[in-house]
């Protein structure tokens, strides 16, 4: 099956919403519509009609456009079963191991608790596309609001295990500030230094840094490297449990 087309739609101050379009059928999904207006404008510009909405978690900056888009298009709303009480109007709820069908494209559902307790990610292997909301960011990860550090670390390990060609479509443009933090815990990482310069140039030109590719994140994202001996040593925790190292790094980022 031919890969789908993905259009990045900036919304609110730093959110990214994604339109996913299947050319053969004309079906179009939106992932985490923060607000309806920019999504509608992007649809209109391409004469696409919205058929599906995918939500990764219940935060307002990910579901804010749901109601208006459903009223306008009658799109099918798919989201996390564990957040049924917190996302109004879901037609299909999904959990770990479920698959969503979008115009014949199969999306595997992973539960990735930590940022919220019911957060999920969608992995479309045939298009090498991971929609991970606020779990994994380029060079960062989401704040741990509802889950435990242990849950967040296991969620990141799940995503780390995907194909290294996976393109990471995350919920926010936080990359440059993530890079500055990453350098504070991993200053001698030459790959990280190079990516930081690249990202700073991209942002100076107004270019989105998304999608990132998982292979690059594996070498440079400190939150995917809490079990790397060099990183543990760099934060003064040589030999410590990866969950403890992850918690230390996440805590430092919260205070950065
Ligand atoms: Zn969020
Ligand atoms: Fe968010």
């Amino acid at each position: 099956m031919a890969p789908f087309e993905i259009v990045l739609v900036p919304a609110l101050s730093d959110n990214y919403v994604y339109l996913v379009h299947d050319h053969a059928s004309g079906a179009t999904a939106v992932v985490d519509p923060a607000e309806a207006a920019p999504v509608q404008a992007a649809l209109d510009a391409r004469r696409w009609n919205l058929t599906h909405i995918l939500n990764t978690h219940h935060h307002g900056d990910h579901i804010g456009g749901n109601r208006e888009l459903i009223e306008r298009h009658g799109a099918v709303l798919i989201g996390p079963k564990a957040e049924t009480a917190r996302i109004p109007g879901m037609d299909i709820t999904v959990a770990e191991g479920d698959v969503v069908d979008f115009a014949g494209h199969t999306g595997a559902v992973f539960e990735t608790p930590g940022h919220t307790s019911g957060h999920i990610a969608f992995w479309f292997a045939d298009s090498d596309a991971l929609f991970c909301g606020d779990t994994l960011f380029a060079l960062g990860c989401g704040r741990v609001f509802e889950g435990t550090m242990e849950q967040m670390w296991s969620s990141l390990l799940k995503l780390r295990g995907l194909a290294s060609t996976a393109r990471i479509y995350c919920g926010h443009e936080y990359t440059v500030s993530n890079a500055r933090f990453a350098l504070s815990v991993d200053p001698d990482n030459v790959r990280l230094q190079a990516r930081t310069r690249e990202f700073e140039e991209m942002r100076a030109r107004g270019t989105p840094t998304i999608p990132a590719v998982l292979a690059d994140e594996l070498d440079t994202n400190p939150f995917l490297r809490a079990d790397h001996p060099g990183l543990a040593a760099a934060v003064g925790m040589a030999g410590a449990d990866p969950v403890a190292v992850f918690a230390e790094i996440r805590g430092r980022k919260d205070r950065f």
Side-chain angles (χ1 to χ4, degrees), residues 200-236:
E200 285 175 341
E201 285 166 20
M202 287 168 93
R203 292 311 291 150
R205 293 194 304 269
T207 307
T209 61
I210 303 305
V213 175
L214 184 56
D216 297 327
E217 292 298 310
L218 297 178
D219 290 338
T220 50
N221 185 330
F223 298 100
L224 293 177
R225 293 159 53 80
D227 55 355
H228 188 281
L231 195 62
V235 294

Side-chain angles (χ1 to χ4, degrees), residues 57 59 62 115 134:
H57 66 294
H59 285 158
H62 296 254
H115 179 69
D134 291 352

Side-chain angles (χ1 to χ4, degrees), residues 46-175:
R46 294 166 181 80
R47 299 174 186 278
W48 290 350
N49 183 47
L50 192 68
T51 54
H52 298 74
I53 301 175
L54 306 183
N55 285 162
T56 61
H57 66 294
H58 69 85
H59 285 158
D61 64 314
H62 296 254
I63 70 168
N66 282 2
R67 204 168 65 128
E68 197 176 328
L69 291 167
I70 291 168
E71 277 168 11
R72 187 152 182 169
H73 300 275
V76 174
L77 177 57
I78 303 171
K81 183 171 273 171
E83 298 191 351
T84 301
R86 300 195 283 181
I87 302 178
M90 287 196 286
D91 300 295
I92 300 174
T93 58
V94 291
E96 179 81 20
D98 286 344
V99 292
V100 300
D101 174 79
F102 166 67
H105 301 271
T106 299
V109 174
F110 296 100
E111 288 179 352
T112 55
H115 179 69
T116 67
S117 57
H119 197 296
I120 56 172
F122 300 94
W123 163 236
F124 289 89
D126 71 349
S127 295
D128 252 340
L130 173 69
F131 298 101
C132 52
D134 291 352
T135 296
L136 175 63
F137 295 123
L139 295 180
C141 76
R143 268 184 191 258
V144 180
F145 284 127
E146 295 178 7
T148 63
M149 292 292 178
E150 185 160 20
Q151 281 178 320
M152 190 60 153
W153 172 242
S154 346
S155 296
L156 291 168
L157 287 181
K158 275 186 205 176
L159 303 183
R160 191 174 80 171
L162 298 176
S164 62
T165 50
R167 292 176 298 163
I168 299 162
Y169 293 92
C170 55
H172 294 269
E173 178 64 66
Y174 289 159
T175 312

